[in-house]
Amino acid sequence: MKRYGSLIKIKPKKLEEYKKIHADIWPDVARMITKCNIKNYSIYHKDGFLFSYFEYIGEDFKSDMAKMAADPITQKWWDICMPMQEPLETRKEGEWWAEMEEVFHQD
Amino acid sequence: MKRYGSLIKIKPKKLEEYKKIHADIWPDVARMITKCNIKNYSIYHKDGFLFSYFEYIGEDFKSDMAKMAADPITQKWWDICMPMQEPLETRKEGEWWAEMEEVFHQD
């Protein structure tokens, strides 16, 4: 299992809408997350920042992420979510959510 | 079980030192974390922000946090860590790390 922490900004005017749709995520999007081996997935908000934490239990993260990105319903979901977000300038090439560095872990 | 996400800033000049001591946390501090019912505890860094995620498996979070705060070795550890950190202006009264709002969760 590998843990991932990621960071992105949310447009202040879009926060309530973002919370609302995430309180009632489309079942097909939720199922695709599970199918792509992501577990224990949380998103937190504070001061315009969204932090995501999840645990990846598969064998090939890149390939699972490609599978998710190729799913038409997930694409429609992202078409709604992404304009609400503002990615960090400092993210790596190809990233939307910027991957964070794990500086501590204790089971 | 209750999940907690929290946010704080790290002084840029102190990041390397913070990472170094957290790569080799004092065993007594680690044990106290476990004794206070905290599990699956991670800290991530990006752009001067530290995000922490952990799972609380006890019955009385406030009382466990008071127990941790009363532990002399934990206090010494905090005396080293806290000057490296810069709490958010927007934190609630009594907070050091600012608690974030969970906007999404999927098991």
Side-chain angles (χ1 to χ4, degrees), chain A residues 18 22 41-45 50-52 97, chain B residues 101-104:
Chain A
Y18 190 87
H22 280 78
Y41 182 10
S42 299
I43 300 178
Y44 290 89
H45 169 260
L50 296 175
F51 172 86
S52 94
W97 288 78
Chain B
E101 181 186 10
E102 184 178 293
V103 300
F104 175 71

Side-chain angles (χ1 to χ4, degrees), chain A residues 1 3-5 7 15 18-19 22-23 25 29-31 33-34 38-47 49-51 53-55 88 90-92 95 98-107, chain B residues 1 3-5 7 15 18-19 22-23 25 29-31 33-34 38-47 49-51 53-55 88 90-92 95 98-107:
Chain A
M1 187 267 281
R3 293 171 295 273
Y4 285 87
L7 194 61
L15 175 61
Y18 190 87
K19 284 164 62 173
H22 280 78
I25 186 180
V29 172
R31 269 191 290 271
I33 288 170
T34 300
I38 286 176
K39 281 215 182 293
N40 199 16
Y41 182 10
S42 299
I43 300 178
Y44 290 89
H45 169 260
K46 175 79 185 168
D47 290 2
F49 287 98
L50 296 175
F51 172 86
Y53 170 89
F54 61 77
E55 294 162 4
L88 302 188
T90 55
R91 71 191 185 281
K92 289 196 194 120
E95 286 186 340
E99 191 175 342
M100 301 180 86
E101 181 186 11
E102 184 179 292
V103 300
F104 175 70
H105 179 74
Q106 177 170 318
D107 283 336
Chain B
M1 187 267 281
R3 294 170 294 275
Y4 285 88
L7 195 61
L15 175 61
Y18 190 86
K19 283 164 62 173
H22 280 78
I25 186 181
V29 172
R31 269 191 290 271
I33 289 171
T34 300
I38 286 176
K39 281 217 181 295
N40 200 16
Y41 183 10
S42 299
I43 300 178
Y44 291 90
H45 169 260
K46 175 80 185 166
D47 289 2
F49 286 97
L50 296 176
F51 171 84
Y53 170 88
F54 61 77
E55 295 163 2
L88 302 188
T90 56
R91 72 192 185 279
K92 288 195 195 121
E95 285 186 341
E99 191 174 341
M100 301 181 85
E101 181 186 10
E102 184 178 293
V103 300
F104 175 71
H105 179 76
Q106 177 171 319
D107 282 336

